[in-house]
Amino acid sequence: FTAQDLTNTAWAFACSDWKEPDFFVALAAASAGRVNNMSDQELSQLHLVALHFRLVWPDRGFALSHCHQRFQSAYQGAKSTPSQLQRDVAAALDRLGWTHV
């Protein structure tokens, strides 16, 4: 697996609401040695995976929590590129008067 393969896989399983924390722990461990060479997009995805992990398993520590600031910085600095579906949903929410970000 490349770094992008690992982060894409982790994010896909987070999006599917995968309920096996050891899977995420194993992916984080596999990613640990690659963090210094990851792109901002990959770091940004790991930020979202870490947030998912903390939300679903608040009593467990995420293996890459020491990289939290780096992940968060990459996420906050990333250019937003919403899909057409996301833009359509946002427009529908606007029409309903639902305040959203």
Side-chain angles (χ1 to χ4, degrees), residues 29-62:
S31 300
R34 302 174 188 205
V35 169
N36 290 333
N37 298 320
M38 287 185 178
S39 70
D40 283 347
Q41 179 183 2
E42 293 158 352
L43 295 172
S44 183
Q45 278 186 306
L46 283 179
H47 175 67
L48 296 173
V49 171
L51 291 176
H52 168 77
F53 192 91
R54 288 189 357 222
L55 179 67
V56 177
W57 301 286
D59 297 335
R60 294 196 60 170
F62 186 64

Side-chain angles (χ1 to χ4, degrees), residues 79-95 100-101:
K79 180 182 176 208
S80 177
T81 55
S83 68
Q84 183 61 50
L85 175 62
Q86 290 168 318
R87 290 191 299 273
D88 292 345
V89 169
L93 292 174
D94 286 339
R95 288 191 300 274
H100 59 283
V101 177

